[in-house]
Amino acid sequence: MLFFTQCFGAVLDLIHLRFQHYKAKRVFSAAGQLVCVVNPTHSLKYAPTRCAATQASTEQGILPPCHHHEAVHDPQLVPCTCPLFSCPWEGHLEVVVSHLRQTHRINILQGAEIVFLATDMHLPAPTDWIIMHSCLGHQFLLVLRKQEKYEGHPQFFATMMLIGTPTQANNFTYRLELNRNQRRLKWEATPRSILECVDSVISDGDCLVLNTSLAQLFSDNGSLAIGIAITTSKVHSSEAEM
Amino acid sequence: MLFFTQCFGAVLDLIHLRFQHYKAKRVFSAAGQLVCVVNPTHSLKYAPTRCAATQASTEQGILPPCHHHEAVHDPQLVPCTCPLFSCPWEGHLEVVVSHLRQTHRINILQGAEIVFLATDMHLPAPTDWIIMHSCLGHQFLLVLRKQEKYEGHPQFFATMMLIGTPTQANNFTYRLELNRNQRRLKWEATPRSILECVDSVISDGDCLVLNTSLAQLFSDNGSLAIGIAITTSKVHSSEAEM
């Protein structure tokens, strides 16, 4: 009996995901855009580290600690860049992607333009929605985080990091786009390198920031569809004149 | 002596404004775009009204009270819609613009695309930057407000209201764009009617919202340049398919 109940639950879940996928496809109409349903993960990183201590001086709210480790012995090695877990792994930059896939089960998607459909936006902070995005010969990590920077007032922060060096990151521009209810919000910026702390980027607010009310306006039935596009960087035309 | 000091101060102010105007023109490169330097006004509206009382139930932060009056006797008359002052004026919708210009000295600009250059962003909340914008045969009120929705954490809210009815407002789309430091943020929405409460729109967060850190990233020497464009509304292509 329990087996049948579980089977029925699984089928319902599949139908629900399929429906969300279909809806997101309709919202983001561009033909060929890949819609990826991303489920939330409750962040398990709470032990304070050196990085968190330096952040504490500039931030007054509640912050999940940075993932950087106390000491990286070999300068060629980078720590695990997974924003979700305090992981003792160290390795070369070239194998970070396979570590994130294999150890932390972070999905990777191909395509210049994809739709990131984050489900269960109502879950309490801190919660992360994470995928990797393979595009233009590089891999990017997209992080959507629900966090209470000011206690009792959760906000959503979305950013894209290149799994590469800061110099490589400067060659790209990423765009995040929300579009619903006759409202459209677009954020364009140069991705940061994964060697920088994702927590710092979010605590600095140098990313797409949504209040709960705006997130609700852009959500559909508890899911938030974010259109993502990555291009090779050109200096913004208006700034080139300066 | 005092006269000469004041004259010198005035000349310095003029040079400073001219310099800011020139910089904003360079940031927003489109030829023919009008740059308007908008100085801040400290909001003088503090007496609680009926509208503020209804808002209090949904909001926990500090809110300037709404400008609506206790009673509008003639349904053909609308109250003064100036977000800055509690003003006892009432009149027909057609004469709101001249009231705002003459009594509250709010400037009006012509042009489909303009640049709103808000100065002195560092001033403490609550502060408003306001202009009217005449375009496509209608007048719009642009409000940028610095407000502490959560005490100790000022945010910037920008919205555009049509000086007309909600039905008329549905015919337009406005776009606010920030562009600096290799970052770009765009907000597109249908303007609200000035008959709705501008304070409600801002307290609902249904507008462009900037944290202080993002506002600083987009500011140049304490001034924030916002590109504004108004178009006649077309249903967003991606939503039309739904």
Side-chain angles (χ1 to χ4, degrees), chain A residues 206-222:
Chain A
D206 186 11
C207 54
L208 177 66
V209 185
L210 288 179
N211 285 340
T212 316
S213 52
L214 259 192
Q216 276 170 351
L217 275 169
F218 283 114
S219 293
D220 182 20
N221 205 14

Side-chain angles (χ1 to χ4, degrees), chain A residues 15-187:
Chain A
I15 291 169
H16 180 67
L17 284 179
R18 187 72 212 154
F19 181 63
Q20 283 185 320
H21 178 272
Y22 179 65
K23 275 197 299 186
K25 259 193 135 161
R26 287 202 302 184
V27 172
F28 289 85
S29 59
Q33 258 186 353
L34 183 67
V35 175
C36 174
V37 176
V38 185
N39 292 314
T41 312
H42 197 76
S43 182
L44 296 173
K45 258 188 325 109
Y46 287 100
T49 63
R50 177 177 51 81
C51 185
T54 57
Q55 280 180 353
S57 60
T58 53
E59 279 300 320
Q60 298 150 332
I62 298 162
L63 274 174
C66 179
H67 58 268
H68 285 169
H69 299 275
E70 276 300 324
V72 177
H73 305 292
D74 180 345
Q76 297 281 301
L77 299 182
V78 297
C80 169
T81 54
C82 179
L84 298 171
F85 305 99
S86 280
C87 164
W89 183 88
E90 276 178 13
H92 288 270
L93 195 55
E94 295 74 23
V95 288
V96 167
V97 172
S98 60
H99 168 74
L100 291 176
R101 287 186 77 169
Q102 287 159 18
T103 309
H104 301 298
R105 310 266 170 200
I106 297 178
N107 284 333
I108 190 160
L109 291 167
Q110 303 275 341
E113 296 197 14
I114 60 170
V115 177
F116 176 101
L117 185 70
T119 64
D120 303 309
M121 300 292 287
H122 63 278
L123 288 180
T127 299
D128 284 305
W129 292 258
I130 293 175
I131 53 161
M132 283 188 288
H133 181 187
S134 178
C135 173
L136 302 170
H138 284 80
Q139 280 78 37
F140 300 82
L141 188 71
L142 178 76
V143 180
L144 170 68
R145 177 168 293 172
K146 186 176 186 178
Q147 186 175 309
E148 289 190 10
K149 208 166 169 180
Y150 312 125
E151 212 174 332
H153 305 292
Q155 289 178 298
F156 293 90
F157 303 85
T159 189
M160 204 136 201
M161 318 279 289
L162 175 77
I163 302 176
T165 65
T167 313
Q168 289 172 321
N170 280 335
N171 295 326
F172 297 97
T173 298
Y174 74 98
R175 190 183 74 220
L176 305 179
E177 182 175 343
L178 304 170
N179 183 8
R180 214 180 109 77
N181 277 329
Q182 292 180 295
R183 288 158 185 85
R184 196 189 293 254
L185 186 64
K186 275 189 203 179
W187 165 260

